[in-house]
Amino acid sequence: MESKKHLLLLFDRPKEPVFMAKGKNKAVFNVPQNYLEDKYKPAATQIVNRFGEDAGEKINVSRISLPPLGEILELKRNENFSLFLPKHRRIAGKLIDIFLGMRNVEELLSCAVYARDRVNPYLFNYCLSVALLHRPDTQDIDLPSFISSFPDKYLDSQVLGEAREQATIVPDGSRTPIEIPKDYTASDLEEEHRLAYFREDLGINLHHWHWHLVYPFEAARVVVDKNRRGELFYYMHQQIIARYNFERLCNDLKRVDRLVELKSPIKEAYFPKLDSLVSSRAWPSRVANQTLSNIRRETDQITQDIDDLIRWRDRILEAIHSGVIRNEQGQEIPLTENEGIDILGNIMESSILSPNRAYYGDMHNMGHVLISYIHDPDHRHLETFGVMGDSATAMRDPIFYRWHAFVDYIFQQFKNSLPTYTPQQLDFNEVTVQDIELETPNGRSNQINTFWQQSDVDLSRGMDFQPRGSVFVRFTHLQHRNFNYKITVNNTGGNKQGTCRIFIAPKFDERGNPWTFRDQKNMFVELDKFTVNLKQGTNTINHSSTDSSVTIPFERTFRNLDNERPTGGDALAQFNFCGCGWPQHMLVPKGKAEGYACQLFVMISDYEGDRINQTTEGACNDAGSYCGIKDKLYPDRRSMGYPFDRLPRQGVSTLQEFLTGNMRIRDINIQFENRTFKPRQTGVN
Amino acid sequence: MESKKHLLLLFDRPKEPVFMAKGKNKAVFNVPQNYLEDKYKPAATQIVNRFGEDAGEKINVSRISLPPLGEILELKRNENFSLFLPKHRRIAGKLIDIFLGMRNVEELLSCAVYARDRVNPYLFNYCLSVALLHRPDTQDIDLPSFISSFPDKYLDSQVLGEAREQATIVPDGSRTPIEIPKDYTASDLEEEHRLAYFREDLGINLHHWHWHLVYPFEAARVVVDKNRRGELFYYMHQQIIARYNFERLCNDLKRVDRLVELKSPIKEAYFPKLDSLVSSRAWPSRVANQTLSNIRRETDQITQDIDDLIRWRDRILEAIHSGVIRNEQGQEIPLTENEGIDILGNIMESSILSPNRAYYGDMHNMGHVLISYIHDPDHRHLETFGVMGDSATAMRDPIFYRWHAFVDYIFQQFKNSLPTYTPQQLDFNEVTVQDIELETPNGRSNQINTFWQQSDVDLSRGMDFQPRGSVFVRFTHLQHRNFNYKITVNNTGGNKQGTCRIFIAPKFDERGNPWTFRDQKNMFVELDKFTVNLKQGTNTINHSSTDSSVTIPFERTFRNLDNERPTGGDALAQFNFCGCGWPQHMLVPKGKAEGYACQLFVMISDYEGDRINQTTEGACNDAGSYCGIKDKLYPDRRSMGYPFDRLPRQGVSTLQEFLTGNMRIRDINIQFENRTFKPRQTGVN
């Protein structure tokens, strides 16, 4: 158990060598001489003694036979690391395997200590995280939030400068949080900036990073091959686009344009204003009206033409429209009604589960890569990739949504080719939803109240080479008042179980017209999904917005290991996986100051069709809808997105017409108040 | 004298407040409470005590009636500062005036201490530097090299990260210099990168910064109105273009294209890879094929159309081709043969000496501004300017030379309109240059040997908020072996004085053809100019390349105030001005590994036509050709660039035909050895 705790110290201050103090107790690793980097060997004794003197704790590291790091060292310490790049994925796979192969935690610690100061810090963090998540003997370790190791991937670079100033000058007790301006990447002159609060939200970007940590597309097969992961890739990103489009409508912008013309100028620019502390380089910007180029970057071992993407797209569409894919052996595999989407997801992403990567390529990943190298396609300027090249930062850039809207469009081509749901597949015999009410304590019913909220996060674990002690930054994010669903269900039959599925969508389109169902179905955002027990007669279901199946609580998104950790074995056991989840504060879109008309949709589906036979007792299933449940099956047998994942049956053109007796809709108003509330709990008083 | 020394401490660690230790002796300013920034006032006692404890010296600051800073504070601490922006120039002018207005050094110190932690650090450094240069009571203060305060404007941002790591981990005595890779901004895939060693040379960029410090285009008139400053603007930049073209030819590139099509895409990209430590933002990059836009940036109070530049250009050409300019009163002023270029220089730059800024505009400055805002012309992305917006960094970008080639082309239009020099204006009666030899000790005669040299520079005065002690970086620059001119002159008359003018140019053009004179004249690079006494008969002139009138020694370019300073009053007195000068290590172009054929040109002109009646005893006139001499007339009565500043007389089409008896040419070979020599003296052993 001690060694496990010590492993966590390796996430602290990623560029400070292991012989410098780590964590609250100023622990120092006592390493064999040959563990030191070459550059420190000449002054080794002096340096090690110097930092050892102040140590609050000395951690002895056992000497093991050290694994050759080989190709892993080709990614230099001061370079950037991208999961989208095949070479980086391969290197990461190797390091993960080394960590997974250590016989016990003792050896893992020694190996990780050795690797830490040699391997690229981003790569190290990723690989150790994946290994800790997937080793049986380390699953009860709670990983620190990625932002605490690498705040530079999330925060305005100016804040890091101010933090350095504050940590040097102001004594630990007297520091006050450094405020990040809400609008620092652009101004309102730029239309797309209206969505910055969404794109640059710390929680959303942490979710995206964590999702890809839980679902790596390349690693040992046992790590990658999770239940319905291809389908979840489709669904999680479909929901991101639905949410983004919803937010756009709230901000008087039309739904996002698919990035379909890959050879035309891209009009949206993005200037991330992030500095990489590891590479001491700023993240490259993307100026307006740049055009993608074929890339040929020897350093990344990558040559990729735009035409490759076009060819892959056409082959994927060929598979969709013919209903079969070709696997590596040349066999035709049908895209079935229920499992087809999972295969397509793996093909599209692509992960190593793709049945034919040579033929269907690496569509989604290479889109990220091409876009991220738009400014330096042949590496002549020695530039690294832009924010689209890193899952921790990609969602900041407007182009992310244009690209994923294109990816989703292809998935929808498949979904639209499936048989429509019959009323029998939708209805729940004897069950009628009679009423829905959305209640906000002391608020108006059927109204959601949104506003700006400030919160604090501690940077100090990620601020290398500066004095210790907490340094808080204060950021501003969207928030809403908690609310409750009150759903009245009539059951004319015997006791039964159902699944309550709650979605929300805008009531009108960009023109202010009511939707047709085939358009509105793609706008529905999942708010919650939970099992209900129905007794005969009238049932009243009360459910809180904070119990959503898509979100994790704010405290878990920004978990600070020094201050809080789940108590008790079971909760702790699953804490990592729980790091994945849409941030609770972004559960509902912003709405408008004059109110924004939405439709809340509630459906009680027949649990007989939903049921997965497994126990999820003690499992962290808070955000199961978007993240699945660790080591378990996806907790819903229906196609993800049900009942909005397909075209409507013949004769249905509106939501109203779509409803069966077990569904109901309710007009909801999202009322935004343009006011900023101070932190509920401050980092420093 | 004490106060003067203390003033220099204000250049140390520009972002660290005045109450933190400054300089070698860890001096701390003891300031009145109201001098502290507001943010430090709450914890004032605690903070001031904390830093006061370690102080090696406490400097008491006298309380004065504080000047209102007003508009000066509109430029925030974390913004960037540009002399090219009218608003910034105006603010700078005000702060310079405040500093100039202080009654004595005591008050100046107090005022500067007060301003330092409030005013933008770049602005503060610039204004205090100009004030110290121009106040009668502070002229004997030697300013530190700009690079020691702001290394971030000169060095790869990654080096700064490494320096921070080293300063934290490695004890002061054991540090080794951090090496800057020679090629960090681009690779050889990019043709323009062949010139990076020139564009990114630390000494060249320091020269350019210092030149504009000595010749500000906006400040009190007494500061701006220096002898022939408009002409020097023309000539210094003409020489930069000549040198750059020379280097291009050495690297198999053709002469630089003028940036004449202001509305077409600019094909060259530039990625500076510099971080601003003050603004905690990277310098914006300029990607390939971007097009200039009209700018409208309210924060900079600037609205400027490309058409404005085109209109100004046409008006300036109108003036040139008609021979008269219109002043503000509507009067016509002739552009005379000798003074016309000075007026045109002031118009073109433009400085406040321009006779009609409303009509002829702000051509050269606004070119810098338009280019530097190419990525964010309307400030929608809250971006600052690119490297072209700062005279300390502008010469790094290939576009600088395309822009200045365009500016120079307009000047040449004027020069080409002047009467050609007659043989009588060129010749020197009774004087014949009989022979020239260029000698390198232990080397081949008439050959210049070039190679790569490494040198070290100490960053530590510019590294805010990190442990103290020297941190050296090692950079690689062009260098040549010192050589001597041996010139044999026959004088058939009595004792007389002459001016020996030495130039060098490539022997062939890009196609390998011999030049016509009208093209070659613009390629001539001034190497030296000095007065000679000629006795009757044969005179042998020996002159060292290190005594060049265009350069300053390496040690002065990188002067480190802690280690070395000129001894004696006179030398010290002029040390500042001497910071201006082409770096000695860049005196001659690179040449080629297979040898590069050049023509060395020597002319002895008649001193009667050259003489300026003034004493320059004790004055620093090392680099008079490019910088002038402080508070003196320009030390040569001829037009700058003479005899190559005009078209040749009728019938002359080659250099050979141009020669009169007092001129001679000699074929010279520049032999480049692609080898890197270690530092002659190392920062740290």
Side-chain angles (χ1 to χ4, degrees):
Chain A
M1 194 56 212
E2 273 301 289
S3 291
K4 288 190 196 176
K5 223 180 60 194
H6 296 153
L7 276 166
L8 287 181
L9 295 174
L10 299 176
F11 290 105
D12 215 45
R13 302 215 168 186
K15 284 179 74 183
E16 293 189 359
V18 289
F19 54 75
M20 287 180 72
K22 304 265 166 294
K24 244 182 169 171
N25 300 333
K26 298 189 181 175
V28 162
F29 287 94
N30 204 358
V31 293
Q33 281 263 359
N34 63 332
Y35 276 44
L36 284 182
E37 285 175 271
D38 288 343
K39 65 176 172 183
Y40 294 130
K41 280 180 185 157
T45 319
Q46 195 181 2
I47 289 175
V48 171
N49 287 346
R50 178 179 176 199
F51 290 101
E53 276 167 19
D54 294 342
E57 179 185 1
K58 288 206 187 180
I59 302 166
N60 286 312
V61 171
S62 56
R63 192 185 292 265
I64 58 167
S65 105
L66 294 168
L69 296 173
E71 194 192 20
I72 295 165
L73 300 179
E74 284 179 20
L75 185 68
K76 296 207 198 71
R77 296 265 301 163
N78 62 5
E79 287 184 287
N80 218 332
F81 166 67
S82 169
L83 283 173
F84 296 109
L85 287 172
K87 181 185 169 185
H88 292 197
R89 284 182 228 160
R90 195 174 59 242
I91 288 175
K94 287 191 179 179
L95 188 56
I96 291 170
D97 283 348
I98 289 176
F99 289 151
L100 290 178
M102 290 291 127
R103 283 175 300 184
N104 52 49
V105 175
E106 235 56 30
E107 288 195 3
L108 175 63
L109 179 67
S110 179
C111 174
V113 165
Y114 172 72
R116 184 179 181 280
D117 295 347
R118 289 176 167 72
V119 169
N120 176 284
Y122 295 131
L123 174 68
F124 175 82
N125 181 299
Y126 173 74
C127 295
L128 187 59
S129 298
V130 172
L132 296 181
L133 278 174
H134 292 93
R135 281 180 69 101
D137 56 357
T138 55
Q139 303 215 1
D140 53 348
I141 294 182
D142 42 347
L143 298 182
S145 174
F146 195 57
I147 196 176
S148 69
S149 296
F150 297 111
D152 50 326
K153 293 204 178 200
Y154 297 92
L155 298 172
D156 179 4
S157 57
Q158 289 193 332
V159 168
L160 306 178
E162 286 175 54
R164 174 163 292 122
E165 176 170 343
Q166 191 177 80
T168 308
I169 299 178
V170 185
D172 200 357
S174 309
R175 295 180 193 157
T176 49
I178 299 162
E179 210 164 307
I180 309 180
K182 195 157 68 68
D183 302 289
Y184 68 91
T185 54
S187 69
D188 287 341
L189 270 186
E190 170 61 39
E191 264 194 359
E192 292 295 330
H193 183 64
R194 296 184 205 163
L195 271 297
Y197 69 89
F198 181 92
R199 288 188 277 102
E200 294 164 4
D201 183 79
L202 303 186
I204 286 181
N205 282 285
L206 282 165
H207 163 68
H208 191 239
W209 162 259
H210 213 107
W211 194 92
H212 283 285
L213 199 64
V214 176
Y215 293 99
F217 29 75
E218 196 156 322
R221 198 164 179 96
V222 59
V223 169
V224 179
D225 194 3
K226 298 203 170 82
N227 180 241
R228 293 168 75 180
R229 70 156 284 155
E231 184 177 7
L232 190 56
F233 172 79
Y234 140 74
Y235 181 59
M236 205 276 288
H237 289 90
Q238 186 276 330
Q239 282 287 292
I240 287 174
I241 297 301
R243 287 179 172 275
Y244 188 64
N245 280 332
F246 200 149
E247 297 281 356
R248 289 179 72 86
L249 264 59
C250 291
N251 287 282
D252 297 317
L253 292 169
K254 65 186 175 62
R255 281 166 283 174
V256 64
D257 278 333
R258 285 177 293 141
L259 186 67
V260 64
E261 296 298 343
L262 297 179
K263 298 187 175 182
S264 303
I266 297 172
K267 66 175 189 300
E268 298 88 354
Y270 186 65
F271 294 79
K273 298 181 171 60
L274 301 178
D275 267 358
S276 164
L277 290 183
V278 165
S279 70
S280 298
R281 287 257 188 272
W283 284 86
S285 302
R286 202 165 46 69
V287 299
N289 297 315
Q290 273 201 286
T291 305
L292 293 176
S293 303
N294 300 332
I295 56 173
R296 184 192 179 92
R297 293 177 56 106
E298 283 164 29
T299 181
D300 298 322
Q301 295 172 16
I302 194 166
T303 302
Q304 202 78 67
D305 296 345
I306 297 170
D307 283 342
D308 294 334
L309 269 72
I310 293 174
R311 200 175 306 114
W312 296 335
R313 175 198 67 191
D314 291 344
R315 287 177 181 169
I316 294 171
L317 286 172
E318 161 87 22
I320 289 171
H321 296 138
S322 64
V324 289
I325 61 126
R326 282 171 36 162
N327 70 9
E328 276 175 1
Q329 290 72 41
Q331 297 158 318
E332 296 198 333
I333 313 282
L335 291 171
T336 60
E337 183 177 343
N338 290 315
E339 283 81 31
I341 187 69
D342 193 43
I343 297 174
L344 274 179
N346 290 327
I347 283 178
M348 173 70 84
E349 189 176 12
S350 67
S351 75
I352 56 167
L353 305 182
S354 169
N356 198 343
R357 247 174 163 176
Y359 191 75
Y360 295 110
D362 199 10
M363 183 82 189
H364 152 261
N365 293 335
M366 281 306 137
H368 275 267
V369 170
L370 254 80
I371 294 166
S372 72
Y373 282 140
I374 196 168
H375 59 296
D376 192 19
D378 61 7
H379 201 224
R380 67 175 57 201
H381 295 293
L382 305 178
E383 284 282 298
T384 183
F385 45 82
V387 292
M388 270 292 271
D390 186 335
S391 57
T393 54
M395 286 184 70
R396 310 176 80 84
D397 189 333
I399 198 69
F400 175 90
Y401 305 89
R402 293 197 58 197
W403 176 242
H404 274 278
F406 171 74
V407 167
D408 189 56
Y409 164 80
I410 297 178
F411 285 128
Q412 296 299 337
Q413 296 269 310
F414 174 70
K415 285 289 190 176
N416 292 348
S417 75
L418 298 179
T420 60
Y421 291 118
T422 62
Q424 293 69 39
Q425 287 175 304
L426 295 170
D427 208 354
F428 188 1
N429 198 25
E430 303 175 329
V431 173
T432 315
V433 178
Q434 288 186 316
D435 194 23
I436 321 170
E437 207 185 334
L438 188 149
E439 296 171 329
T440 306
N442 305 318
R444 286 180 61 174
S445 78
N446 300 316
Q447 175 166 302
I448 302 176
N449 298 94
T450 60
F451 50 89
W452 300 123
Q453 170 79 56
Q454 291 190 319
S455 297
D456 295 341
V457 60
D458 183 4
L459 289 193
S460 54
R461 277 167 169 269
M463 299 294 293
D464 292 62
F465 308 118
Q466 74 167 33
R468 306 196 71 81
S470 293
V471 177
F472 283 88
V473 292
R474 178 162 294 174
F475 61 101
T476 304
H477 56 87
L478 187 63
Q479 186 56 289
H480 58 273
R481 287 174 66 188
N482 296 336
F483 54 86
N484 296 299
Y485 309 101
K486 186 176 165 193
I487 301 161
T488 313
V489 181
N490 192 38
N491 172 15
T492 58
N495 287 0
K496 51 184 63 120
Q497 282 189 301
T499 303
C500 182
R501 298 168 189 272
I502 307 180
F503 290 83
I504 193 169
K507 188 171 183 182
F508 303 106
D509 71 9
E510 295 90 339
R511 296 173 186 79
N513 295 332
W515 297 96
T516 59
F517 183 83
R518 55 182 305 143
D519 285 317
Q520 193 179 17
K521 77 177 175 65
N522 297 329
M523 295 297 294
F524 271 103
V525 160
E526 183 174 338
L527 289 182
D528 216 331
K529 179 162 65 179
F530 51 91
T531 307
V532 289
N533 295 311
L534 300 172
K535 63 180 197 298
Q536 192 169 28
T538 300
N539 295 265
T540 303
I541 301 167
N542 278 296
H543 193 79
S544 166
S545 63
T546 56
D547 292 334
S548 167
S549 65
V550 304
T551 61
I552 53 173
F554 187 87
E555 293 68 28
R556 203 181 301 148
T557 293
F558 295 99
R559 61 205 174 283
N560 180 332
L561 298 188
D562 289 337
N563 294 344
E564 35 178 299
R565 44 183 70 219
T567 47
D570 275 345
L572 188 62
Q574 301 295 335
F575 194 70
N576 287 326
F577 208 75
C578 301
C580 182
W582 195 255
Q584 174 67 22
H585 64 272
M586 296 302 285
L587 176 66
V588 289
K590 179 173 161 231
K592 288 189 178 188
E594 65 267 32
Y596 189 72
C598 303
Q599 288 178 302
L600 190 73
F601 168 92
V602 173
M603 172 188 197
I604 311 285
S605 60
D606 187 348
Y607 195 59
E608 293 311 307
D610 308 334
R611 183 198 307 273
I612 295 293
N613 286 318
Q614 64 184 356
T615 55
T616 57
E617 280 296 309
C620 166
N621 58 1
D622 270 37
S625 289
Y626 286 176
C627 294
I629 304 179
K630 185 165 160 55
D631 301 330
K632 304 275 183 184
L633 302 178
Y634 188 79
D636 181 2
R637 207 163 78 211
R638 308 278 183 182
S639 294
M640 300 184 198
Y642 171 85
F644 293 119
D645 67 316
R646 302 196 188 174
L647 287 179
R649 61 192 180 273
Q650 197 81 34
V652 168
S653 68
T654 66
L655 180 60
Q656 191 62 51
E657 291 165 354
F658 178 72
L659 303 182
T660 49
N662 59 332
M663 306 180 192
R664 198 169 184 93
I665 51 179
R666 160 69 71 189
D667 281 357
I668 292 287
N669 179 40
I670 305 183
Q671 187 72 40
F672 170 69
E673 187 185 5
N674 191 9
R675 216 179 119 186
T676 304
F677 291 84
K678 291 279 164 200
R680 289 161 300 180
Q681 47 189 41
T682 312
V684 178
N685 299 318
Chain B
M1 194 56 213
E2 274 300 288
S3 291
K4 288 191 197 175
K5 224 179 59 194
H6 296 153
L7 275 166
L8 287 181
L9 296 174
L10 299 176
F11 290 106
D12 215 45
R13 303 217 166 184
K15 284 179 74 182
E16 293 189 359
V18 289
F19 53 75
M20 286 180 72
K22 303 265 167 293
K24 244 183 168 173
N25 301 332
K26 298 190 181 174
V28 162
F29 287 94
N30 204 357
V31 293
Q33 280 264 357
N34 62 332
Y35 276 43
L36 284 182
E37 285 174 90
D38 288 342
K39 64 177 172 184
Y40 295 129
K41 281 180 183 156
T45 320
Q46 194 181 3
I47 288 175
V48 171
N49 287 346
R50 178 179 176 199
F51 290 100
E53 276 167 20
D54 294 342
E57 179 186 2
K58 289 204 186 180
I59 302 166
N60 286 312
V61 171
S62 57
R63 193 184 291 264
I64 60 166
S65 107
L66 294 169
L69 296 172
E71 194 190 19
I72 296 165
L73 300 179
E74 285 178 21
L75 184 68
K76 296 205 198 75
R77 295 265 302 163
N78 63 4
E79 287 184 286
N80 217 332
F81 167 67
S82 170
L83 283 172
F84 296 109
L85 288 173
K87 181 184 169 186
H88 292 196
R89 284 181 228 162
R90 194 174 61 241
I91 288 176
K94 288 194 178 176
L95 187 56
I96 291 170
D97 284 349
I98 289 177
F99 289 150
L100 291 177
M102 291 291 127
R103 284 175 301 183
N104 52 48
V105 176
E106 235 55 34
E107 287 196 3
L108 175 63
L109 179 67
S110 179
C111 174
V113 165
Y114 171 73
R116 184 179 182 280
D117 295 347
R118 291 177 165 70
V119 169
N120 176 282
Y122 294 131
L123 173 68
F124 176 83
N125 181 301
Y126 173 75
C127 296
L128 186 59
S129 298
V130 172
L132 296 182
L133 278 174
H134 293 93
R135 281 180 70 101
D137 54 359
T138 55
Q139 303 214 1
D140 53 348
I141 294 184
D142 42 348
L143 298 182
S145 175
F146 195 56
I147 195 176
S148 68
S149 296
F150 297 110
D152 51 325
K153 294 204 179 199
Y154 297 92
L155 298 172
D156 179 5
S157 57
Q158 289 194 331
V159 168
L160 306 177
E162 286 175 52
R164 175 163 291 122
E165 176 170 343
Q166 191 176 81
T168 308
I169 298 179
V170 185
D172 202 355
S174 310
R175 295 179 194 160
T176 50
I178 299 163
E179 211 165 308
I180 310 180
K182 195 159 68 66
D183 302 288
Y184 68 91
T185 55
S187 69
D188 287 341
L189 268 187
E190 171 60 38
E191 264 192 1
E192 293 294 331
H193 182 65
R194 296 184 205 163
L195 270 297
Y197 69 89
F198 182 92
R199 288 187 277 103
E200 294 165 3
D201 183 78
L202 302 186
I204 286 180
N205 282 286
L206 282 165
H207 163 68
H208 192 239
W209 163 257
H210 213 108
W211 195 92
H212 283 285
L213 199 63
V214 176
Y215 293 100
F217 29 75
E218 195 155 325
R221 198 164 179 97
V222 60
V223 169
V224 178
D225 195 2
K226 299 204 170 80
N227 179 240
R228 293 168 75 181
R229 70 156 287 154
E231 185 177 7
L232 191 55
F233 172 79
Y234 140 74
Y235 181 60
M236 205 277 288
H237 289 89
Q238 186 275 330
Q239 282 287 292
I240 287 174
I241 297 302
R243 288 180 170 275
Y244 187 65
N245 280 333
F246 201 149
E247 298 280 357
R248 289 179 72 86
L249 264 58
C250 291
N251 287 283
D252 297 317
L253 291 169
K254 65 187 175 63
R255 280 166 284 174
V256 64
D257 279 333
R258 287 177 291 141
L259 186 67
V260 63
E261 297 297 343
L262 298 179
K263 297 186 177 181
S264 302
I266 296 172
K267 66 175 190 302
E268 298 87 354
Y270 187 65
F271 294 79
K273 298 182 172 58
L274 302 177
D275 267 358
S276 163
L277 290 182
V278 165
S279 70
S280 299
R281 287 256 190 272
W283 285 85
S285 304
R286 202 165 46 69
V287 298
N289 298 313
Q290 273 201 285
T291 306
L292 294 174
S293 302
N294 300 332
I295 56 173
R296 184 193 180 91
R297 295 177 53 106
E298 282 165 29
T299 180
D300 299 321
Q301 295 172 16
I302 194 167
T303 301
Q304 203 77 67
D305 295 345
I306 297 169
D307 283 343
D308 295 334
L309 269 72
I310 292 173
R311 199 176 306 113
W312 296 336
R313 175 199 66 191
D314 292 344
R315 286 177 181 168
I316 294 172
L317 286 172
E318 162 87 22
I320 289 170
H321 296 138
S322 64
V324 289
I325 60 128
R326 282 170 37 162
N327 70 8
E328 276 175 0
Q329 290 72 43
Q331 296 158 320
E332 294 197 337
I333 312 284
L335 290 172
T336 60
E337 183 177 342
N338 291 312
E339 284 80 32
I341 187 68
D342 194 43
I343 296 174
L344 273 180
N346 290 327
I347 284 178
M348 174 68 85
E349 187 175 13
S350 68
S351 75
I352 56 167
L353 305 182
S354 169
N356 198 343
R357 247 175 163 175
Y359 190 72
Y360 295 110
D362 199 9
M363 182 80 187
H364 152 261
N365 293 335
M366 281 305 137
H368 275 268
V369 170
L370 255 79
I371 293 166
S372 72
Y373 282 140
I374 196 169
H375 59 297
D376 192 19
D378 61 6
H379 201 226
R380 66 174 59 201
H381 295 293
L382 306 177
E383 284 282 298
T384 183
F385 44 82
V387 292
M388 270 293 272
D390 186 336
S391 57
T393 54
M395 287 184 70
R396 310 176 80 83
D397 189 334
I399 198 69
F400 175 90
Y401 305 89
R402 294 197 58 196
W403 177 242
H404 273 278
F406 170 75
V407 167
D408 190 56
Y409 165 81
I410 296 177
F411 285 129
Q412 296 300 338
Q413 296 268 310
F414 175 70
K415 284 289 189 174
N416 291 349
S417 76
L418 298 179
T420 60
Y421 290 119
T422 64
Q424 293 70 40
Q425 287 176 305
L426 295 170
D427 208 354
F428 188 1
N429 199 25
E430 304 175 327
V431 173
T432 315
V433 178
Q434 288 187 314
D435 194 24
I436 322 171
E437 207 186 330
L438 187 147
E439 296 171 329
T440 307
N442 303 318
R444 289 179 60 172
S445 77
N446 299 316
Q447 175 166 301
I448 302 177
N449 298 94
T450 59
F451 51 89
W452 300 123
Q453 171 78 56
Q454 291 191 318
S455 297
D456 296 340
V457 60
D458 182 6
L459 290 192
S460 53
R461 277 166 169 268
M463 299 293 295
D464 292 62
F465 308 119
Q466 72 168 33
R468 306 195 73 79
S470 293
V471 177
F472 283 88
V473 291
R474 176 161 295 173
F475 61 102
T476 304
H477 56 87
L478 187 63
Q479 186 56 288
H480 58 273
R481 287 175 65 190
N482 296 335
F483 53 87
N484 295 299
Y485 310 99
K486 185 176 165 192
I487 300 161
T488 313
V489 181
N490 192 41
N491 173 15
T492 59
N495 287 358
K496 49 182 67 118
Q497 283 190 300
T499 303
C500 182
R501 300 168 189 271
I502 308 179
F503 290 83
I504 194 169
K507 189 171 182 183
F508 304 106
D509 72 7
E510 295 90 338
R511 295 173 186 80
N513 296 331
W515 297 97
T516 58
F517 183 85
R518 54 181 308 143
D519 285 316
Q520 194 179 17
K521 77 175 174 68
N522 296 330
M523 295 297 294
F524 271 102
V525 161
E526 182 174 340
L527 289 182
D528 215 333
K529 180 163 62 179
F530 50 91
T531 307
V532 289
N533 295 310
L534 299 172
K535 63 180 195 303
Q536 193 169 27
T538 299
N539 296 265
T540 303
I541 301 168
N542 278 297
H543 193 81
S544 166
S545 63
T546 57
D547 292 334
S548 166
S549 66
V550 304
T551 61
I552 54 172
F554 187 87
E555 294 67 29
R556 204 183 299 148
T557 294
F558 295 99
R559 62 204 174 283
N560 180 332
L561 298 187
D562 290 337
N563 296 343
E564 34 178 299
R565 44 183 71 220
T567 47
D570 274 346
L572 187 62
Q574 300 296 334
F575 194 69
N576 287 324
F577 208 73
C578 301
C580 183
W582 195 255
Q584 174 67 24
H585 65 273
M586 296 302 286
L587 176 66
V588 290
K590 177 172 162 230
K592 287 190 181 189
E594 65 268 31
Y596 189 71
C598 303
Q599 289 179 302
L600 189 73
F601 169 92
V602 173
M603 171 187 198
I604 312 285
S605 61
D606 187 347
Y607 195 60
E608 293 310 308
D610 308 332
R611 185 199 303 276
I612 296 293
N613 287 317
Q614 63 184 357
T615 56
T616 56
E617 279 297 308
C620 165
N621 56 2
D622 269 37
S625 289
Y626 286 177
C627 294
I629 305 180
K630 185 164 160 55
D631 300 330
K632 303 276 181 183
L633 302 179
Y634 187 79
D636 181 2
R637 207 164 77 211
R638 307 277 182 182
S639 293
M640 298 183 198
Y642 171 83
F644 294 118
D645 66 316
R646 302 199 189 172
L647 287 180
R649 60 193 181 273
Q650 198 81 34
V652 167
S653 67
T654 65
L655 179 60
Q656 191 63 49
E657 291 165 354
F658 177 73
L659 304 181
T660 49
N662 59 331
M663 305 181 192
R664 198 169 184 93
I665 52 179
R666 161 66 73 188
D667 280 357
I668 292 287
N669 179 40
I670 306 183
Q671 187 72 40
F672 171 67
E673 186 185 5
N674 191 8
R675 212 177 121 188
T676 305
F677 290 84
K678 291 279 162 199
R680 290 160 300 181
Q681 46 188 42
T682 313
V684 177
N685 299 318

